[in-house]
Amino acid sequence: MKIYTKFGDGGQTYLASGKKVAKTDRRVDLYGTCDELNSTIGLALSLGKKHSIEKPFLLYLQSIQSFLFEIGSELAGYVPKDAKDGTVVNAADVESIEREIDRLMEFLPEIKFFILPGGTEMASALHISRTVCRRLERDLLVYVENGGEIHKDLRIYLNRLSDYLFTAARFVNFSVGQEETIWQSRTKSN
């Protein structure tokens, strides 16, 4: 199989459904952003190899990557025949991510102030993942507001995923003893 086909040189591509579209089509943008999100999580996992972080956490992140590949395929127009209601996402997926957020929160101290994205390299990458996830969620909503169809469960999952990625970044910093940086207002004196 060749990596390059030269088909896209003219600015067009095919969705997974077989429909020919411009590379500027909103669907292409959506699955491209999903791929970007997946890539940033991969970066985070690579950066985390230098730390000793619990295996269940790392395996859960890897499972999210695999699931994002399925979500990206759905955004590209492919939905497996056995997908309930035309989406690969179901209520159990949302519940799973909520349970994992709750599990990680048991380890974390309460935060009473805004924190700045950062800390370890892995946590910083997870914060980038969170912001890409939020962008994907916003872009999905714009697509829906303009008449496109995206299943509600998919939108809910991405909303929870961004919450999870915030919690995951905090968990990484906590796990390696890295303190969070508290946001300081320029208008308030210390």
Side-chain angles (χ1 to χ4, degrees):
M1 180 174 126
K2 285 189 172 189
I3 295 298
Y4 60 91
T5 63
K6 299 183 183 182
F7 176 76
D9 293 353
Q12 296 190 317
T13 190
Y14 286 100
L15 296 177
S17 63
K19 181 181 177 186
K20 186 177 182 181
V21 297
K23 286 191 172 185
T24 56
D25 188 272
R26 293 296 295 168
R27 291 295 275 214
V28 176
D29 196 36
L30 291 174
Y31 72 74
T33 302
C34 188
D35 185 37
E36 181 183 354
L37 171 58
N38 203 336
S39 297
T40 61
I41 293 172
L43 173 64
L45 284 164
S46 295
L47 293 170
K49 289 181 180 178
K50 61 176 80 170
H51 300 293
S52 179
I53 298 173
E54 71 165 39
K55 190 166 181 126
F57 172 77
L58 298 173
L59 291 174
Y60 196 83
L61 263 179
Q62 288 174 340
S63 73
I64 287 173
Q65 276 197 292
S66 292
F67 194 44
L68 282 172
F69 201 85
E70 293 176 47
I71 289 172
S73 294
E74 180 176 328
L75 292 173
Y78 174 75
V79 181
K81 290 179 177 58
D82 60 346
K84 181 184 170 202
D85 298 325
T87 183
V88 296
V89 181
N90 58 50
D93 298 314
V94 175
E95 291 166 8
S96 170
I97 210 160
E98 288 173 347
R99 277 193 310 275
E100 184 64 3
I101 291 170
D102 292 343
R103 185 184 79 80
L104 297 180
M105 289 296 292
E106 290 178 13
F107 296 97
L108 301 175
E110 180 182 359
I111 53 174
K112 298 179 181 173
F113 305 98
F114 289 110
I115 62 170
L116 297 177
T120 65
E121 292 173 340
M122 183 179 191
S124 297
L126 288 168
H127 278 296
I128 292 170
S129 299
R130 172 185 54 82
T131 62
V132 173
C133 188
R134 287 284 190 213
R135 177 166 28 99
L136 177 55
E137 182 185 8
R138 289 189 307 270
D139 290 349
L140 281 173
L141 293 173
V142 169
Y143 181 75
V144 169
E145 288 170 2
N146 287 305
E149 292 186 24
I150 300 290
H151 198 279
K152 179 180 148 191
D153 288 345
L154 175 63
R155 298 189 323 253
I156 292 170
Y157 179 82
L158 289 174
N159 183 270
R160 292 304 181 285
L161 179 57
S162 62
D163 295 335
Y164 166 78
L165 292 166
F166 175 78
T167 306
R170 289 192 62 220
F171 179 77
V172 167
N173 282 338
F174 179 79
S175 294
V176 301
Q178 172 70 49
E179 285 190 33
E180 301 287 358
T181 303
I182 304 298
W183 168 71
Q184 299 288 323
S185 171
R186 295 185 319 158
T187 60
K188 293 183 181 179
S189 62
N190 293 339

